């Protein structure tokens, strides 16, 4: 058997209110809804970038995200430029999103990569970052990666 590196196909998130989450991921973050469905009382939606499936939302959670439980730590999206990250920051602020840090921050002290860190309507921790362009941004922690404890 040849070992090949796996890469993420799509992410599935359990949500408490599909309509609210769809409005956030579609209207604020710009995902395209590629399909919706229902099985019994449960609803779901597929979201993508126009070319491929990236995210599924499953309305099955009875409570908001709990960072103290094992499982998903945070979900990170990559933008193509710092300017695009700032556009998302503006849209998220207009939406009223809860941010973990004030503005664009470096992933760690002296890093070229960085981004914004915030929460979706169910409290799931999210990141939008770039691999370069954040050289002048502050790092919120001297020891842990910025995406670590928020």
């Amino acid at each position: 058997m040849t070992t090949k590196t796996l890469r993420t196909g799509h992410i599935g998130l359990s949500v408490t209110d599909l309509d609210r989450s769809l409005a956030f991921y579609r209207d604020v973050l710009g995902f395209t809804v590629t399909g919706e469905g229902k099985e019994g009382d449960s609803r779901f939606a597929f979201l993508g970038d126009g070319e491929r499936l990236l995210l599924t939302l499953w309305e099955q959670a009875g409570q908001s995200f709990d960072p103290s439980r094992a499982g998903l730590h945070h979900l990170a999206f990559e933008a193509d430029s710092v300017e695009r990250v700032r556009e998302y920051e503006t849209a998220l602020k207009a939406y009223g999103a809860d941010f973990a840090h004030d503005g664009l921050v470096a992933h760690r002290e002296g890093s070229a990569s960085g981004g914004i860190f915030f929460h979706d309507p169910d409290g799931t921790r999210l990141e939008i970052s770039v691999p370069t362009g954040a050289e002048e941004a502050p790092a919120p922690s001297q020891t842990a990666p910025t995406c670590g404890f928020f």
Side-chain angles (χ1 to χ4, degrees), residues 103-126:
L104 180 78
V105 294
H107 278 132
R108 61 180 49 229
E109 193 70 37
S111 177
S113 65
I116 55 174
F117 299 83
F118 56 98
H119 301 87
D120 81 355
D122 280 310
T124 302
R125 298 182 292 193
L126 302 174

Side-chain angles (χ1 to χ4, degrees), residues 8-65:
T8 303
H10 71 276
I11 304 295
L13 295 178
S14 293
V15 300
T16 59
D17 182 329
L18 184 62
D19 294 326
R20 179 180 70 172
S21 292
L22 270 175
F24 178 79
Y25 285 97
R26 179 192 59 223
D27 301 342
V28 180
L29 296 184
F31 284 94
T32 301
V33 178
T34 61
E36 293 184 62
K38 183 176 183 176
E39 184 173 317
D41 291 335
S42 300
R43 297 172 49 216
F44 59 91
F46 300 116
L47 296 97
D49 63 3
E51 295 180 17
R52 60 189 181 107
L53 174 66
L54 298 172
L55 188 64
T56 58
L57 302 176
W58 302 92
E59 187 179 64
Q60 63 185 17
Q63 59 187 9
S64 294
F65 179 78

Side-chain angles (χ1 to χ4, degrees), residues 62-104:
Q63 59 187 9
S64 294
F65 179 78
D66 182 352
S68 68
R69 295 186 57 174
L72 178 72
H73 179 273
H74 74 285
L75 176 56
F77 300 107
E78 187 173 297
D80 57 4
S81 68
V82 169
E83 293 76 25
R84 188 72 178 119
V85 173
R86 294 194 188 283
E87 289 173 10
Y88 281 112
E89 179 184 13
T90 299
L92 288 159
K93 283 183 178 178
Y95 171 81
D98 173 45
F99 283 83
H101 307 290
D102 187 29
L104 180 78

